[in-house]
Amino acid sequence: MLSIKNLSAEIDGKKILDGLELEIKAGEVHAIMGPNGAGKSTLSAVLAGRPEYVVTGGTVTYMGKNLLDMSPEDRACEGVFLAFQYPVEIPGVSTTNFLKTAVNQKRLYNGLEPMEATDFLKMMRQKMELVEMDKSLTGRSLNEGFSGGEKKRNEVFQMAMLEPNLAILDETDSGLDIDALRLVSNGVNKMRNTERSFVVITHYQRLLDYIIPDFVHVLYKGKIVKSGDKELAKELEVKGYDWIKNELEAAV
Amino acid sequence: MLAEIINSNFNRYASGAEKDLFFETRKQAFEAFETMGFPTQKNEEWKYTNIKGVTAGSFEMSDERPAHAKTIFEKSVLNEIKANQLIFVNGIFYPDLSILLEKDKSIVLTNLANARTEYSELFNRHFSKYAKTEEHSLNALNTALLNDGAFIYVPEGVKPEYPVIINHYIDSTHINVLVQPRNLMVIDKGAEITLIETYESIGFNASYTNVVSEIYVAENAHLEHYKVQQQAGESYHTNFTQMFQESNTSINQVTLTLDGKLVRNNLHFYMNGKNCNSLLYGLYIIEKQNTVDNHTRVDHAQPNCFSDEKYKGILKDQSTAIFNGKIIVHLDAQKTNAYQRNQNVLLSDEAVVNTKPQLEIFADDVKCTHGATIGQLDEEPMFYLRSRGIPENEARKMLLNAFADEIAERIKIPELVELLEKKIEEKL
């Protein structure tokens, strides 16, 4: 599904990613952990195509295509979804209209007719149940005045509506209380299947109690320095990142 | 030169006119205009707006009654609103095309020329009493050489069932025209009305439209007022609207500037009584090398009044916007609440905004804020929309619509909102 080779990227001339390697197969859940400033959010930004990040080297192949050549909107239409760490409030754009446009743009891209209004509303209702999102939120402006938890639920709701092949969750657990965390994780778990892959970026092991990963990677100084299974996350929780840092320095 | 054309037109008018009070008012106005002349950029109020295109141009005043006025009106979107419609072409009233729906015959919906004789008492009491001619040369010019315009009187406690739309068509099919519409509206005590003033162009020659509207709002009355400027092409449009509010009145005013080579709106509110509520909202969308200049002035002359102002602009190409908003809180106007904001989105590197929010406060117990922003569309919302598969162009349109929406939602007539949305779609 996704093959990242020797990826380097910078922002404002500052190198953040430095030779990152990652292979993700269909249906897998990969957790990416690491200390602050390791490059976790940069990785998600580069995969989603955020314009201010400059890729200086390496390749990203997604379903056989060069992902880095595509505009952000084309990536989305090809099935890449980024759940934002800080979802943006957009006053004046209603959640419903926004989603209708997004869903139909993706259909248009894939040569399908726009969805009938009734089918669309039915789909909305079903997907909202997934994260137990309040119906009143969809009539309001996108994320405007939403609580932190509502915003994150809205991200997972959008993900459910757009049915991506590859979903990247950028610190979706940040700012969530335990109930919201459970709701969001349940939503994600219900979407797991053999076709769909996830990249779960998180600072803390806590989220991985709910979304059980197949692989755990530690990102440090712009590259993956250690990979393992879910036990690695638990080990990190106990020992902290210094353990990895020390191990690396000892090796040098 | 326009000044000479004006001079000879006034002399022609003066030689045939009855020498009554109306004539005296106009003569004085003409003399005031002669003294002041057209505003130049040396005048602080006109620093960023150059009307050389008007003053160096050649325009004629026309008495011709264009035959195609009917077709034009029928094509207009505002025609679809169930409303009383007053139709003027080049300042000439078309009673045969106008539509009067009100059953209550105490409501006066007519033209100014008719009101001068038929409602002379009202006319003399209010005409040229609010829009000052001694400070504003274009007001003086309008008063001296006005064509015709709407006269509306809503008697005490009356609430007309339908809005009133004042349609001014400016027809430059055959010649460059100079048209000076003059509207006078008197809303008596406790009355409530919705007024729409619209300016549309016909033909491709140049036109200069110089409007004055005076609106008197008596105690406890409420006014919804929308001004829509959509004259296109080589249209120069200057407009002076003076609201005069007595106590316990409320006004919701929206100014939409959707087209025109050069548009200057002067919108002045004078709160002459306590507990007034004045809302002023504006939206301008400018393209090419066009200029839109909004000058507003809110005079808080009495205590306990509230005003809220928000003007928003979208600028394309090499266009220029000017915003100058004055709030003047007079010495007696304690407990004033006044807010003012101007926000601009630039869609091109070559567009220019000159914005100047201004507060002059002479009272000591007041709450006032003002501010202005100029910028491009934010990148964060743009990326958010694109990351959901929405193409850049579509995303930009959504965000600009959302930007405009804050003003659109102040308009209580759905057809007018639709017209606005259609215009935005066309322009963007």
Short mmCIF file of all heavy atoms in Angstrom, two decimals, chain B residues 245 249-253 269 271 276-281 298 306-309:
data_model
loop_
_atom_site.label_atom_id
_atom_site.label_comp_id
_atom_site.label_asym_id
_atom_site.label_seq_id
_atom_site.Cartn_x
_atom_site.Cartn_y
_atom_site.Cartn_z
N GLN B 245 -32.01 59.69 12.65
CA GLN B 245 -32.77 58.84 13.56
C GLN B 245 -33.25 59.60 14.79
O GLN B 245 -32.43 60.21 15.49
CB GLN B 245 -31.90 57.69 14.08
CG GLN B 245 -31.61 56.62 13.08
CD GLN B 245 -30.78 55.50 13.69
OE1 GLN B 245 -29.57 55.51 13.55
NE2 GLN B 245 -31.42 54.56 14.39
N THR B 249 -35.25 54.30 17.77
CA THR B 249 -35.39 53.75 16.42
C THR B 249 -34.31 52.72 16.16
O THR B 249 -33.27 52.72 16.82
CB THR B 249 -35.24 54.87 15.36
OG1 THR B 249 -34.03 55.57 15.62
CG2 THR B 249 -36.41 55.83 15.42
N SER B 250 -34.58 51.86 15.21
CA SER B 250 -33.54 50.90 14.83
C SER B 250 -33.46 50.81 13.31
O SER B 250 -34.48 50.85 12.62
CB SER B 250 -33.82 49.52 15.44
OG SER B 250 -35.07 49.05 15.02
N ILE B 251 -32.24 50.69 12.84
CA ILE B 251 -32.01 50.59 11.39
C ILE B 251 -31.04 49.45 11.14
O ILE B 251 -30.01 49.35 11.80
CB ILE B 251 -31.42 51.89 10.82
CG1 ILE B 251 -32.39 53.06 11.02
CG2 ILE B 251 -31.10 51.73 9.33
CD1 ILE B 251 -31.85 54.40 10.53
N ASN B 252 -31.40 48.59 10.21
CA ASN B 252 -30.47 47.56 9.74
C ASN B 252 -30.15 47.89 8.29
O ASN B 252 -31.03 47.86 7.44
CB ASN B 252 -31.12 46.18 9.86
CG ASN B 252 -30.21 45.07 9.36
OD1 ASN B 252 -29.02 45.06 9.65
ND2 ASN B 252 -30.75 44.15 8.58
N GLN B 253 -28.91 48.27 8.03
CA GLN B 253 -28.54 48.73 6.70
C GLN B 253 -27.46 47.83 6.12
O GLN B 253 -26.48 47.52 6.79
CB GLN B 253 -28.03 50.18 6.79
CG GLN B 253 -28.19 51.02 5.52
CD GLN B 253 -27.23 50.65 4.39
OE1 GLN B 253 -26.19 50.07 4.62
NE2 GLN B 253 -27.61 50.97 3.16
N PHE B 269 -25.02 58.22 9.39
CA PHE B 269 -26.11 58.05 10.36
C PHE B 269 -26.02 59.18 11.38
O PHE B 269 -24.94 59.43 11.92
CB PHE B 269 -25.96 56.73 11.13
CG PHE B 269 -26.44 55.52 10.39
CD1 PHE B 269 -25.81 55.10 9.23
CD2 PHE B 269 -27.52 54.78 10.87
CE1 PHE B 269 -26.25 53.97 8.55
CE2 PHE B 269 -27.96 53.64 10.20
CZ PHE B 269 -27.33 53.24 9.04
N MET B 271 -27.72 60.09 14.95
CA MET B 271 -28.63 59.66 16.01
C MET B 271 -29.04 60.88 16.81
O MET B 271 -28.30 61.35 17.66
CB MET B 271 -27.95 58.63 16.90
CG MET B 271 -27.62 57.35 16.15
SD MET B 271 -26.32 56.50 17.01
CE MET B 271 -26.51 54.87 16.36
N CYS B 276 -31.03 54.56 20.29
CA CYS B 276 -31.08 54.16 18.88
C CYS B 276 -30.17 52.95 18.67
O CYS B 276 -29.21 52.74 19.39
CB CYS B 276 -30.60 55.28 17.96
SG CYS B 276 -31.71 56.66 17.93
N ASN B 277 -30.52 52.20 17.64
CA ASN B 277 -29.81 50.99 17.30
C ASN B 277 -29.50 51.06 15.81
O ASN B 277 -30.42 51.10 15.01
CB ASN B 277 -30.77 49.83 17.59
CG ASN B 277 -30.04 48.54 17.79
OD1 ASN B 277 -29.10 48.26 17.05
ND2 ASN B 277 -30.45 47.77 18.77
N SER B 278 -28.23 51.10 15.46
CA SER B 278 -27.90 51.23 14.05
C SER B 278 -26.91 50.15 13.64
O SER B 278 -25.84 50.04 14.24
CB SER B 278 -27.26 52.59 13.77
OG SER B 278 -28.07 53.61 14.27
N LEU B 279 -27.29 49.38 12.65
CA LEU B 279 -26.42 48.33 12.16
C LEU B 279 -26.05 48.64 10.72
O LEU B 279 -26.92 48.89 9.89
CB LEU B 279 -27.14 46.98 12.22
CG LEU B 279 -27.81 46.65 13.57
CD1 LEU B 279 -28.59 45.34 13.49
CD2 LEU B 279 -26.75 46.54 14.66
N LEU B 280 -24.76 48.64 10.45
CA LEU B 280 -24.29 48.96 9.09
C LEU B 280 -23.38 47.83 8.63
O LEU B 280 -22.34 47.58 9.22
CB LEU B 280 -23.43 50.22 9.06
CG LEU B 280 -23.77 51.56 9.66
CD1 LEU B 280 -23.83 51.56 11.16
CD2 LEU B 280 -22.79 52.60 9.17
N TYR B 281 -23.79 47.17 7.56
CA TYR B 281 -22.96 46.10 7.04
C TYR B 281 -22.73 46.32 5.55
O TYR B 281 -23.62 46.80 4.85
CB TYR B 281 -23.61 44.73 7.27
CG TYR B 281 -23.89 44.50 8.74
CD1 TYR B 281 -25.17 44.62 9.26
CD2 TYR B 281 -22.84 44.24 9.62
CE1 TYR B 281 -25.41 44.45 10.61
CE2 TYR B 281 -23.08 44.08 10.97
CZ TYR B 281 -24.36 44.18 11.47
OH TYR B 281 -24.58 44.02 12.80
N VAL B 298 -20.90 57.68 11.63
CA VAL B 298 -21.99 57.48 12.58
C VAL B 298 -21.85 58.53 13.66
O VAL B 298 -20.85 58.55 14.38
CB VAL B 298 -21.95 56.05 13.20
CG1 VAL B 298 -23.10 55.88 14.18
CG2 VAL B 298 -22.02 54.99 12.11
N PHE B 306 -26.56 52.40 20.27
CA PHE B 306 -25.70 51.28 19.90
C PHE B 306 -25.48 51.30 18.39
O PHE B 306 -26.44 51.46 17.64
CB PHE B 306 -26.39 49.98 20.32
CG PHE B 306 -25.71 48.73 19.82
CD1 PHE B 306 -24.65 48.18 20.52
CD2 PHE B 306 -26.13 48.10 18.65
CE1 PHE B 306 -24.01 47.02 20.07
CE2 PHE B 306 -25.49 46.95 18.18
CZ PHE B 306 -24.44 46.41 18.90
N SER B 307 -24.24 51.15 17.97
CA SER B 307 -24.02 50.97 16.53
C SER B 307 -23.01 49.86 16.30
O SER B 307 -22.06 49.69 17.06
CB SER B 307 -23.54 52.27 15.88
OG SER B 307 -22.25 52.60 16.31
N ASP B 308 -23.27 49.08 15.28
CA ASP B 308 -22.37 47.98 14.94
C ASP B 308 -22.13 48.03 13.44
O ASP B 308 -23.07 48.04 12.65
CB ASP B 308 -22.99 46.64 15.33
CG ASP B 308 -22.03 45.48 15.05
OD1 ASP B 308 -20.81 45.66 15.27
OD2 ASP B 308 -22.48 44.41 14.61
N GLU B 309 -20.88 48.08 13.06
CA GLU B 309 -20.55 48.22 11.65
C GLU B 309 -19.55 47.16 11.24
O GLU B 309 -18.58 46.91 11.94
CB GLU B 309 -19.94 49.61 11.41
CG GLU B 309 -19.41 49.80 10.00
CD GLU B 309 -19.02 51.24 9.71
OE1 GLU B 309 -18.91 52.04 10.66
OE2 GLU B 309 -18.81 51.56 8.53
#
